Amino acid sequence: MGGQSIYQNELDNLEQSKEFLKRNDYSQMELQLEFKKLVEHYEELVDQVKIITKISDRLQKKLNKTNDALESSNNQLAELNNQLNETIDQLTEAKIGRRASTIVLFIAIGLFVISEVLLEPIIDDVFKDNAFVGLALKLVVAILIKPGEDFANKYMLKQARKKQMKEQEEKRADKKVDKKVKKKRKIL
Amino acid sequence: MDNLIIEGTRQTPEINFDVESGILKLEGRSIPENTFEFFTPVLNWLDAYVNSSPDKIVAKINLEYFNTSSSKYILEILKKLKVFKVEGTEVLVEWYYEEDDEEMMETGEDYEDVSGLPFEIISFEEE
């Protein structure tokens, strides 16, 4: 640190006393004066150390308190974030469920129309005496609505989760790039 | 003699020492990377200001946080203010702290004890 120390005065005082000690020609009076000076400096230094240590410890306590408060806020934020994610998941599931129901309903209507317009005349021709065949076909379509809806729901959820994961990965990658750029800027 | 004005940063306090009014403001956070470099001009300014023999000095210290080496320099500033008092200047130190900041209040009390200067320890509400 040389000439640029926060303890410059104290170092100067010490140096002066050392220089005095190097001399061998001091009188009793000079020795007494120098010793008095040294004791005064020492006393001042002890007072300084006492006060600075006390204040430093207290401010460390303040810092610890602030850190604890920050940690607690972070935990609360993480908890809220989890709750938010859960709610978003539930909303996404509900949204996808509704969309799947709509799609399956339209497919069922389509199949019903196809069976009525295209299949019914063929069935009537082939199974003239059996009216139950057409009915059975419609029943099959009706029975397939629920499993169809479940399948569509699961498929769409899977796709949505894949999309979500991809977006999160992209965000993480962006953050990494941002950090690297900031680091580079700091270095420059 | 010019006023001493140093803008505050995230690491250094704002300094506004006014020659005319004798109001010396020290506000903010004091955690400079190099405390020697930051505080030396402040101490030099005070050394020069003694020659102006002002009638009254009010030091308004409002620090949110400071590091150990800054605490030494605050002590040095108070010592310099003691010189003004010895020279006949009326000196008052106003030590500000946020109302729930017990540590900063007690720190002000410690500085009051060690400096032997008249202190007013003033609390203010958090913004």
Side-chain angles (χ1 to χ4, degrees):
Chain A
M1 299 265 262
Q4 286 214 329
S5 165
I6 65 165
Y7 296 104
Q8 199 53 51
N9 286 341
E10 291 78 5
L11 290 170
D12 289 345
N13 293 336
L14 179 67
E15 202 50 46
Q16 272 176 25
S17 296
K18 279 181 176 173
E19 286 300 318
F20 180 81
L21 270 182
K22 280 181 193 167
R23 286 170 50 195
N24 290 316
D25 57 342
Y26 41 74
S27 67
Q28 179 70 24
M29 180 69 98
E30 278 180 312
L31 184 67
Q32 209 167 359
L33 279 174
E34 188 60 34
F35 189 68
K36 189 174 175 267
K37 212 164 74 181
L38 193 66
V39 168
E40 280 171 5
H41 289 151
Y42 188 79
E43 194 176 10
E44 199 186 328
L45 203 59
V46 170
D47 285 347
Q48 243 187 56
V49 169
K50 272 160 69 179
I51 183 84
I52 289 171
T53 310
K54 200 173 168 187
I55 289 169
S56 180
D57 284 351
R58 192 179 293 123
L59 291 180
Q60 182 63 49
K61 196 174 132 193
K62 182 180 173 176
L63 206 60
N64 288 344
K65 265 187 182 175
T66 312
N67 277 339
D68 287 346
L70 264 176
E71 204 179 314
S72 160
S73 300
N74 276 342
N75 289 340
Q76 277 178 359
L77 268 176
E79 206 175 302
L80 284 173
N81 199 30
N82 280 342
Q83 283 176 8
L84 188 70
N85 280 339
E86 275 171 26
T87 311
I88 287 171
D89 280 351
Q90 283 168 1
L91 279 172
T92 311
E93 277 176 30
K95 202 174 152 189
I96 285 169
R98 274 200 306 272
R99 204 183 294 162
S101 299
T102 312
I103 290 169
V104 170
L105 185 71
F106 275 105
I107 290 171
I109 291 169
L111 285 174
F112 181 77
V113 170
I114 289 167
S115 71
E116 277 297 309
V117 179
L118 297 174
L119 295 177
E120 199 70 29
I122 300 167
I123 290 166
D124 281 347
D125 275 351
V126 178
F127 306 100
K128 277 176 187 162
D129 298 331
N130 202 343
F132 288 107
V133 176
L135 205 63
L137 192 69
K138 280 168 195 147
L139 197 67
V140 168
V141 171
I143 287 168
L144 281 175
I145 286 176
K146 186 62 189 159
E149 189 187 329
D150 287 347
F151 174 78
N153 200 4
K154 276 180 191 168
Y155 177 78
M156 286 166 79
L157 259 178
K158 215 175 163 182
Q159 293 299 109
R161 283 192 180 128
K162 265 187 192 171
K163 198 181 159 190
Q164 229 174 10
M165 276 169 78
K166 205 180 165 188
E167 278 171 1
Q168 279 173 355
E169 272 171 22
E170 278 172 0
K171 270 184 192 172
R172 268 186 227 128
D174 285 348
K175 272 186 186 173
K176 271 186 187 174
V177 172
D178 279 352
K179 269 188 183 176
K180 276 184 185 171
V181 171
K182 274 182 189 170
K183 255 188 180 179
K184 270 189 183 173
R185 276 188 195 151
K186 255 191 174 180
I187 292 165
L188 287 171
Chain B
M1 186 180 179
D2 291 334
N3 295 337
L4 178 71
I5 296 168
I6 302 172
E7 267 189 50
T9 68
R10 281 171 64 87
Q11 293 191 319
T12 57
E14 179 193 335
I15 302 237
N16 193 334
F17 288 2
D18 190 276
V19 177
E20 198 68 36
S21 64
I23 291 175
L24 316 180
K25 275 189 198 169
L26 182 67
E27 285 180 356
R29 193 183 297 168
S30 182
I31 45 170
E33 278 183 26
N34 187 338
T35 36
F36 177 85
E37 210 173 274
F38 181 78
F39 282 103
T40 299
V42 178
L43 297 177
N44 290 341
W45 188 92
L46 285 171
D47 282 339
Y49 190 40
V50 177
N51 299 325
S52 306
S53 305
D55 295 332
K56 190 177 178 181
I57 284 180
V58 180
K60 294 172 181 277
I61 303 176
N62 177 6
L63 291 169
E64 176 200 346
Y65 181 80
F66 49 88
N67 59 11
T68 308
S69 49
S70 295
S71 70
K72 185 181 186 315
Y73 278 107
I74 293 165
L75 199 59
E76 294 291 335
I77 290 171
L78 295 176
K79 273 190 204 167
K80 301 269 182 208
L81 294 182
K82 193 74 188 277
V83 175
F84 281 90
K85 201 185 166 198
V86 171
E87 296 285 322
T89 299
E90 191 189 332
V91 178
L92 174 68
V93 179
E94 291 180 354
W95 183 271
Y96 293 87
Y97 70 96
E98 275 185 16
E99 63 182 355
D100 61 344
D101 194 347
E102 211 178 295
E103 287 81 14
M104 211 42 97
M105 180 195 76
E106 288 172 357
T107 301
E109 288 170 351
D110 282 339
Y111 276 129
E112 182 181 9
D113 288 344
V114 78
S115 67
L117 289 167
F119 263 62
E120 259 183 43
I121 309 226
I122 303 161
S123 74
F124 63 91
E125 273 183 43
E126 255 178 278
E127 276 170 23

